[in-house]
Amino acid sequence: MKWIVLLPLLLALTFAEEAEDNELKIAEECDREACKLPECRCSSSDIPGGLKPRNTPQFVTVTFDDAVNVLNIETYRAILYNRRNSNGCNAGATFYVNHEYTNYQLVNELYNRGYEIALHSITHRTPNSFWATATYEDLVKEFVDQRRQMSHFANIPMNAIQGIRKPFLQLSGNTSFLMMANHGLKYDCSWPSNVHTDHALWPYTLDHASTQDCPIGPCPTASIPGPWVMPMISWRDLNNFPCSMVDTCVFFPDREDEDEWFKFIMSNFERHYFGNRAPFGFFVHEWYIREYSGVRKAFIRFMDVINNIPDVFMVNSNEVIEWVKNPIPVNEYREKRCPSHTPSVCRHASCGPLRGEHNNLDYWMQICTSCPRNYPWFGNPLGQ
Ligand SMILES: *[C@@H]1O[C@H](CO)[C@@H](O)[C@H](O)[C@H]1NC(C)=O
Ligand SMILES: [Zn+2]
């Protein structure tokens, strides 16, 4: 009885506190004694668990950004489906999906194939400055609401959605991490590192000050326990310039030349594999491998190679965070049961036209639940 009376009050207090960020403490230099796994890790290139490189699984995180649609699903089906790592588990990949023009039936398909679905905002709006200066409320509406939206329209469990990538990799200082901490989002994979590529940073938390370079600031400087930073370790292009996504490299081999592209990918991979085995990212937009046959063939060849190396594992990004929290040597890791997920049905519905209030365009939606009354958007994620 008491709780029924108290609950609204408690909720009101919690929300008042949430929006309040002027009480944030500046993050202090990391204290290795105080900061211990599984919940805390200093930003560093040390291998978790004090493992030697040769005992450390080399994780490869393949990620695709933006809307999932009938065109790009063809690429995903062709190059990813039925691919396995050398331990027999399905090879993973992570999709950072934004809402507009996303086909949620296909998101459901990706989820059921075991891939990770993560957040890339509802609006993906321009300009970048919106994201640089976004308020706490904006970010709740872009990401926390998107998690509900994704779960609803693709019919996938809310708790399967744990990661975010900011549009244009534009960070928002403390604010996005605070939003994540308060709403149980586990990791961010938007923060490039151009400096720490040889001794690459492993994922870390923000309890203490980050030592990572900040190419697209503002970067967080407050102490924010909870969410993990999964640094986007840049590749080095042919002139040694850093590129955070494969399609943003400036000096690259002829994109019709499979052999040269394969060498280019391998040389970046080997920096990790023969170094401290920090997770190696292949971060790309689908159009880049659809458009350029050399890149596509080289990428497939690269995956074929690593899927046959006993200590390399192509996994969903959230599995990397799980490993970092509880690091185990590669021989033990190989023996683990494969990750599994609860299958989820999609009851197909095709909806539209739905008028977008923000731009007066008509949209059609392919979803796994009954049709919304309005076009779902910022501030009305379920289109009620
Ligand atoms: C983040 O929080 C710290 C500590 O309160 C503050 O000094 C810093 O200016 C904040 N960063 C931004 C970009 O607002
Ligand atoms: Zn994007």
Side-chain angles (χ1 to χ4, degrees):
M1 186 63 192
K2 253 189 214 158
W3 277 103
I4 296 169
V5 180
L6 273 175
L7 199 57
L9 180 65
L10 282 175
L11 283 176
L13 283 174
T14 322
F15 284 125
E17 220 166 79
E18 249 185 28
E20 197 73 62
D21 71 346
N22 51 15
E23 285 185 30
L24 285 175
K25 289 208 185 59
I26 193 99
E28 311 277 351
E29 190 183 331
C30 200
D31 173 352
R32 276 161 203 262
E33 284 310 303
C35 182
K36 292 243 158 79
L37 294 174
E39 299 305 332
C40 186
R41 195 182 124 87
C42 300
S43 68
S44 100
S45 54
D46 295 351
I47 301 177
L51 293 172
K52 297 212 162 58
R54 69 180 140 85
N55 295 328
T56 306
Q58 173 66 61
F59 293 111
V60 174
T61 53
V62 170
T63 79
F64 295 97
D65 288 13
D66 302 343
V68 173
N69 59 41
V70 290
L71 190 61
N72 54 38
I73 194 76
E74 294 299 337
T75 305
Y76 304 144
R77 285 173 180 152
I79 71 173
L80 295 176
Y81 285 16
N82 302 318
R83 187 173 279 289
R84 283 168 193 275
N85 290 311
S86 67
N87 61 347
C89 298
N90 285 332
T94 303
F95 293 83
Y96 294 95
V97 182
N98 65 290
H99 162 66
E100 194 178 27
Y101 300 119
T102 278
N103 179 323
Y104 288 95
Q105 297 169 357
L106 300 177
V107 172
N108 179 277
E109 176 181 314
L110 290 169
Y111 169 78
N112 275 304
R113 285 273 173 170
Y115 302 108
E116 179 181 358
I117 306 300
L119 307 174
H120 194 43
S121 85
I122 289 182
T123 71
H124 205 296
R125 71 182 85 177
T126 51
N128 294 28
S129 59
F130 168 78
W131 301 99
T133 60
T135 65
Y136 183 88
E137 290 308 323
D138 287 338
L139 294 174
V140 168
K141 287 182 183 159
E142 289 283 10
F143 292 101
V144 179
D145 282 1
Q146 197 201 1
R147 182 173 52 177
R148 275 167 65 213
Q149 178 184 59
M150 187 76 76
S151 165
H152 180 74
F153 290 118
N155 193 31
I156 60 181
M158 195 103 95
N159 62 13
I161 306 167
Q162 304 176 322
I164 79 166
R165 175 171 287 162
K166 308 285 297 297
F168 320 111
L169 312 183
Q170 175 61 62
L171 296 191
S172 316
N174 306 315
T175 318
S176 64
F177 291 96
L178 192 61
M179 171 275 294
M180 294 173 71
N182 288 336
H183 292 91
L185 285 164
K186 188 159 84 180
Y187 74 91
D188 173 275
C189 186
S190 327
W191 186 348
S193 176
N194 295 338
V195 172
H196 304 274
T197 54
D198 283 336
H199 303 280
L201 292 170
W202 278 81
Y204 61 92
T205 62
L206 292 173
D207 304 60
H208 301 92
S210 169
T211 55
Q212 184 172 345
D213 49 318
C214 180
I216 319 179
C219 292
T221 52
S223 168
I224 307 171
W228 286 76
V229 176
M230 177 175 284
M232 299 176 77
I233 308 297
S234 288
W235 285 25
R236 297 264 161 195
D237 74 12
L238 297 179
N239 282 0
N240 221 26
F241 287 123
C243 27
S244 43
M245 304 211 33
V246 178
D247 43 60
T248 60
C249 294
V250 179
F251 299 98
F252 44 77
D254 177 357
R255 290 179 293 202
E256 300 306 323
D257 190 333
E258 176 189 337
D259 287 345
E260 286 304 313
W261 258 86
F262 179 71
K263 276 192 234 159
F264 179 49
I265 299 170
M266 283 308 283
S267 68
N268 279 290
F269 169 75
E270 284 169 359
R271 192 176 313 110
H272 291 242
Y273 188 62
F274 296 126
N276 69 348
R277 299 219 165 164
F280 175 66
F282 194 108
F283 305 130
V284 74
H285 293 83
E286 181 272 345
W287 67 266
Y288 199 74
I289 46 183
R290 175 169 17 108
E291 200 81 359
Y292 303 110
S293 67
V295 178
R296 179 190 174 106
K297 288 181 195 148
F299 181 36
I300 292 172
R301 193 161 135 200
F302 168 71
M303 290 189 287
D304 290 347
V305 167
I306 59 167
N307 292 161
N308 284 295
I309 305 179
D311 52 5
V312 180
F313 305 90
M314 185 177 147
V315 296
N316 294 348
S317 301
N318 64 14
E319 291 167 43
V320 174
I321 303 293
E322 283 313 304
W323 184 89
V324 171
K325 291 171 97 169
N326 295 291
I328 52 174
V330 65
N331 54 353
E332 230 174 281
Y333 180 79
R334 281 186 63 81
E335 300 307 316
K336 272 184 48 155
R337 283 220 328 270
C338 297
S340 63
H341 66 282
T342 344
S344 123
V345 292
C346 179
R347 291 180 31 236
H348 288 210
S350 203
C351 318
L354 294 164
R355 178 57 57 96
E357 298 279 332
H358 60 292
N359 60 2
N360 271 322
L361 290 179
D362 282 337
Y363 289 88
W364 280 262
M365 290 182 72
Q366 313 299 320
I367 60 176
C368 301
T369 179
S370 46
C371 289
R373 266 193 300 172
N374 297 293
Y375 185 64
W377 198 243
F378 187 78
N380 185 10
L382 304 186
Q384 283 159 333

